[in-house]
């Protein structure tokens, strides 16, 4: 499959990625354990939380495709690992971050897929993702002009302003000035 970046994969500052890879025999059992650990063991998320440019990411297993009727659908030769995500930044930056920040997680997840070269060195990993990537037919973003970090910062500013409003209404001018300067100091990293 030749990779062609389609316009449908980009909405404002956000980019979507969709990857479908065939899983090795026994891989679904291992992935079940990895997914359980990711949901239930907090320490497994620490490094991922540093990747604030990720809006959303999800892995799931597909064993059959629907057939359009109410039937069971088409059973596949392999179970497939379906990955979808959206993020700020370039495609290369996203894959680089996975390779550098969470290589053990990438090995645990995609290591169950046929042909996975490992997360390092990054170039074979990128080639693997490109071979298995599908361009989105449709992609929508609620806040296309903003990054995840900008949205979180705006929420912090809004909450701080709301609290300030409640407490500042009856203040004398000098106390108001002190409270306002304190507010600005508190939210300066979010402005």
């Amino acid at each position: 499959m030749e990779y062609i970046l389609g316009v449908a994969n980009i909405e404002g500052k956000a980019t979507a990625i969709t990857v479908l890879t065939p899983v090795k025999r026994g891989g679904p059992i291992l992935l079940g354990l990895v997914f359980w650990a990711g949901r239930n063991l907090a320490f497994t998320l620490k490094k991922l939380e540093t990747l604030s440019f990720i809006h959303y990411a999800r892995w799931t297993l597909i064993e059959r495709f629907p057939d359009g009727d109410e039937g069971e659908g088409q059973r596949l030769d392999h179970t497939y690992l379906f990955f979808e995500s959206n993020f700020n930044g370039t495609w290369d930056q996203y894959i680089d971050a996975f390779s550098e920040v969470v290589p053990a997680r990438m090995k645990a997840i995609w290591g169950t897929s046929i042909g996975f070269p490992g997360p390092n060195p990054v170039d074979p990993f990128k080639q693997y993702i490109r071979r298995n990537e599908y361009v989105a037919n449709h992609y929508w973003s609620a806040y296309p002009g903003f990054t995840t970090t900008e949205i979180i910062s705006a929420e912090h500013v809004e909450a701080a302003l709301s609290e300030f409003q409640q407490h500042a209404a009856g203040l004398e001018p000098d106390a108001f000035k002190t409270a306002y300067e304190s507010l600005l100091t508190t939210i300066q990293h979010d402005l």
Side-chain angles (χ1 to χ4, degrees):
M1 175 175 144
E2 183 177 308
Y3 176 78
I4 301 170
L5 180 61
V7 175
N9 275 28
I10 300 172
E11 177 66 26
K13 292 183 177 180
T15 302
I17 186 172
T18 304
V19 181
L20 187 68
T21 56
V23 176
K24 299 173 189 173
R25 189 179 206 103
I29 294 168
L30 293 172
L31 284 167
L33 294 171
V34 171
F35 293 161
W36 180 90
R39 283 189 307 271
N40 296 290
L41 303 175
F43 73 89
T44 66
L45 298 176
K46 291 292 182 206
K47 286 186 177 181
L48 276 178
E49 289 171 351
T50 67
L51 303 177
S52 64
F53 60 89
I54 298 174
H55 296 212
Y56 169 84
R58 169 177 94 129
W59 284 269
T60 191
L61 294 175
I62 298 175
E63 295 177 347
R64 61 182 70 238
F65 287 126
D67 59 8
D69 296 326
E70 297 298 320
E72 292 291 316
Q74 175 189 353
R75 182 99 175 125
L76 304 172
D77 293 338
H78 293 278
T79 297
Y80 282 80
L81 179 61
F82 179 73
F83 172 68
E84 60 182 336
S85 182
N86 51 69
F87 53 93
N88 298 123
T90 69
W91 187 94
D92 283 308
Q93 290 168 332
Y94 186 65
I95 304 302
D96 287 343
F98 271 166
S99 175
E100 294 169 21
V101 178
V102 288
R105 182 177 284 266
M106 295 301 96
K107 283 182 193 177
I109 294 173
W110 267 312
T112 62
S113 290
I114 296 170
F116 178 67
N120 291 302
V122 73
D123 285 336
F125 181 36
K126 286 180 179 180
Q127 291 168 9
Y128 178 77
I129 298 300
R130 287 206 187 275
R131 279 192 313 272
N132 293 286
E133 184 178 5
Y134 290 84
V135 175
N137 288 329
H138 174 76
Y139 179 61
W140 178 84
S141 175
Y143 303 102
F146 301 97
T147 67
T148 305
T149 303
E150 290 168 339
I151 293 167
I152 291 168
S153 289
E155 289 175 345
H156 291 163
V157 170
E158 181 181 39
L161 284 174
S162 177
E163 184 178 329
F164 175 77
Q165 240 178 343
Q166 291 174 4
H167 294 92
L171 294 177
E172 296 294 322
D174 286 342
F176 181 89
K177 178 181 183 251
T178 301
Y180 183 70
E181 288 171 349
S182 176
L183 167 71
L184 292 178
T185 301
T186 301
I187 63 172
Q188 68 182 344
H189 64 279
D190 289 312
L191 297 175

